[in-house]
Amino acid sequence: MQTALVALLLLFKAYAQTNTALPDTSTLPTTATFTTSLPNLGGDLIPTGTSVSYLSLNSTKTLSSGSLSGETAILATTIAVANGTIVSVSGSSTTSSTSSRSVTILQGSHTISATINSNSTGNSTLSRTSTSAQPTNTQPCNNYPEFCSRKYSNITQVAAHNSPFVAPNNAAANQALGVIDQLNDGIRMLQGQTHYVNETMYYCHTSCDLLNVGTAENYFATITRWVRNHPYDVVTLLIGNGDLVKIDKYIAPLQSSGLTKYAYIPPKIPMAIDDWPTLSEMILTQKRVVIFMDYNADQNTVPYVLDEFSQMWETPFSPTNRSFPCTQERPPDLSKEDIEKRMYIANHNLNTELTLAGSSLLVVTVSLLNQTNNVSGFGSLGAMADECSGMCSIVLILQSLTST
C-alpha cells in the first residue's frame, strides 16, 4: 500500500464585522437562506467555462540537466545539531565530533539520514560546495529528523488555506496570523488566490475590490526571508491563478522575490508519487520550495512552477457535507490508475451555503469548528484521515482556526 502525503490546510479564522451586518454563522446549519444583503465573501468556487482546462499527459518527459539552469549546488554531506549549532567543515576533510545532544547527518545521493546518539563520537568524511544560512530552527527536516529519509510524497505537511488573507475588520479574511507566524507555528504548505490588475500580480480574495493584501512579489519575498533563515525546512506553495492568466505573468514576481533560488525543479513531467526525492536530498541541494499552480502552469516554459492537477487530485472543493467523502473531484474523469500515481488533497473545511436572490454564497461553519478539527467523531479531521489512509497520497484541508 502506498503511503500518503498529508497536508493539513489550516484556515486561521479572522472574521469580523464590516459596514454590512453579517449573519452570525455560529448558529447556522450547513444550509441556510437569508434575505439581507451580504457582501461577496468569496466562496472559493471551482472555476468553470471554456477557459478552464486540465492537462492530460500521455507520456512522461525527462528533463535534461541543462534545463535546470545550473542552479543546483549539491552538498555531499551537511550536519544539523539539535541545539541549532552548525558543525563547521571546510573543503574535503575527515572530522571527529562529540556532542552532548543528538546529531542528525543529512546525506545525499539517495542515502538515508543517520543519527549519532547523545554523548557519542562519530567520524565521517565531510565536504560541501556552498554555505547555508545560519539556521533559526533546531531540528532538520521540518522539525522531524525521522522524515529526512522519507520522500516528499510521504510526509505530513501542515498548510494554510488562503494564507495571505489577514485583514482585521474584513469579512473576506481567512487568517488571524501572518505568513511568518504561520510558518513559525509549523505550517509548511501555503495556498492563496492571485489576481492580475494593471500589469501587477496581487494576492486578492475573489476580487481585489473585496480584499487586496498586496503584491505577490511582497508575499513571495516574505516567504523567501523565512526559508533563507530555516535551511533545514521544506516548504510548499500552491498558487491559485484566479484570473487564469498565462504563466509568464508570474516569472517577474517569483524571480524578484528571490524565491526561485530555492525552487525545486523536478527531473520529470509529471512526477508520479514514487518519483519524489527525500527531504534530505532537497535540503542538501537547497532546492526545498515546491511551487504548484492550479491552472495554466506550463512546466516546459517555467519548470519550477508545477502543474497541480497533473500531479495531484482533490476531493470535493469547499465542502458542505459533514461526512467529507474521500472521493475524487478535480481533475474530472481521472482513471483509478492515475489516481494511484498521484498525491491528493482531501478538502476538510466545512462551509455553510447561504442562498441569496438565487445566488449561493459559502462561508466557514464556525459553530462546528471544534468538531470539524477534532481527532475523532463524526465529521472530524481524524475520521477523514482514517477513511482516506487506504488510498495513495493525501492533503487534508482543515476547518478554520482562530488565534489565541
Side-chain angles (χ1 to χ4, degrees):
M1 179 186 301
Q2 297 192 53
T3 49
L5 166 73
V6 183
L8 309 179
L9 304 189
L10 306 183
L11 289 70
F12 289 90
K13 191 62 177 170
Y15 275 117
Q17 296 291 332
T18 61
N19 292 332
T20 304
L22 299 176
D24 180 8
T25 59
S26 65
T27 60
L28 291 179
T30 55
T31 301
T33 301
F34 292 89
T35 57
T36 54
S37 177
L38 294 174
N40 181 357
L41 301 187
D44 298 322
L45 300 178
I46 297 175
T48 59
T50 57
S51 59
V52 178
S53 62
Y54 297 89
L55 292 181
S56 178
L57 303 176
N58 297 321
S59 61
T60 300
K61 178 180 179 180
T62 302
L63 301 181
S64 64
S65 58
S67 65
L68 304 184
S69 304
E71 294 181 351
T72 302
I74 297 178
L75 307 181
T77 308
T78 189
I79 291 181
V81 182
N83 62 7
T85 303
I86 295 180
V87 176
S88 178
V89 297
S90 60
S92 297
S93 59
T94 302
T95 66
S96 175
S97 61
T98 302
S99 174
S100 60
R101 295 174 179 254
S102 63
V103 179
T104 298
I105 301 178
L106 308 181
Q107 297 178 319
S109 301
H110 302 284
T111 57
I112 63 173
S113 62
T115 300
I116 302 174
N117 294 325
S118 299
N119 300 312
S120 64
T121 300
N123 298 300
S124 60
T125 300
L126 308 178
S127 64
R128 67 180 179 181
T129 57
S130 64
T131 302
S132 299
Q134 179 71 26
T136 301
N137 56 321
T138 60
Q139 293 280 5
C141 301
N142 293 5
N143 294 318
Y144 291 90
E146 59 269 30
F147 286 175
C148 292
S149 61
R150 295 176 64 173
K151 290 179 179 291
Y152 171 83
S153 54
N154 186 26
I155 300 296
T156 298
Q157 300 186 51
V158 182
H161 177 65
N162 284 336
S163 162
F165 301 140
V166 181
N169 302 318
N170 190 306
N174 288 97
Q175 302 287 340
L177 303 174
V179 63
I180 293 297
D181 287 327
Q182 293 168 25
L183 290 165
N184 286 340
D185 283 348
I187 300 296
R188 289 297 178 270
M189 184 176 184
L190 306 165
Q191 184 270 347
Q193 187 181 90
T194 58
H195 288 271
Y196 194 63
V197 180
N198 296 328
E199 303 299 317
T200 302
M201 191 64 68
Y202 293 94
Y203 268 96
C204 302
H205 197 180
T206 303
S207 165
C208 288
D209 293 329
L210 177 65
L211 177 57
N212 183 342
V213 294
T215 66
E217 181 179 337
N218 286 342
Y219 179 68
F220 297 154
T222 301
I223 297 172
T224 301
R225 288 192 294 272
W226 191 92
V227 168
R228 183 184 302 120
N229 292 327
H230 295 76
Y232 303 129
D233 285 86
V234 175
V235 175
T236 301
L237 176 65
L238 175 54
I239 300 174
N241 187 351
D243 294 329
L244 304 178
V245 298
K246 292 183 177 180
I247 186 63
D248 60 353
K249 304 299 184 185
Y250 290 89
I251 295 176
L254 283 168
Q255 292 183 343
S256 298
S257 69
L259 195 59
T260 54
K261 175 182 178 181
Y262 302 100
Y264 173 74
I265 300 177
K268 298 170 60 178
I269 304 173
M271 293 281 278
I273 192 170
D274 291 329
D275 294 333
W276 292 90
T278 64
L279 291 197
S280 179
E281 291 163 342
M282 299 174 78
I283 292 167
L284 290 171
T285 61
Q286 288 296 290
K287 299 302 176 183
R288 48 194 179 82
V289 176
V290 183
I291 305 173
F292 287 100
M293 180 175 288
D294 56 0
Y295 297 103
N296 287 1
D298 182 355
Q299 291 182 237
N300 291 310
T301 302
V302 183
Y304 52 81
V305 178
L306 284 60
D307 175 66
E308 177 191 359
F309 292 114
S310 63
Q311 290 154 116
M312 291 187 189
W313 58 270
E314 291 193 16
T315 64
F317 194 60
S318 294
T320 58
N321 182 352
R322 286 192 67 197
S323 65
F324 296 105
C326 200
T327 55
Q328 173 259 334
E329 181 180 68
R330 290 188 296 171
D333 305 319
L334 198 63
S335 69
K336 184 177 185 298
E337 180 183 3
D338 285 336
I339 285 176
E340 293 176 347
K341 292 179 180 178
R342 304 183 186 189
M343 301 178 290
Y344 72 88
I345 294 177
N347 293 291
H348 193 82
N349 56 323
L350 186 63
N351 298 273
T352 293
E353 181 179 358
L354 309 179
T355 301
L356 178 65
S359 299
S360 295
L361 178 70
L362 295 178
V363 297
V364 176
T365 310
V366 179
S367 62
L368 296 175
L369 186 149
N370 289 335
Q371 293 95 316
T372 304
N373 286 351
N374 213 331
V375 297
S376 62
F378 177 69
S380 68
L381 176 67
M384 188 177 194
D386 289 341
E387 179 183 356
C388 296
S389 62
M391 306 176 76
C392 46
S393 43
I394 177 174
V395 176
L396 293 175
I397 300 187
L398 187 62
Q399 179 69 358
S400 305
L401 297 178
T402 53
S403 60
T404 56

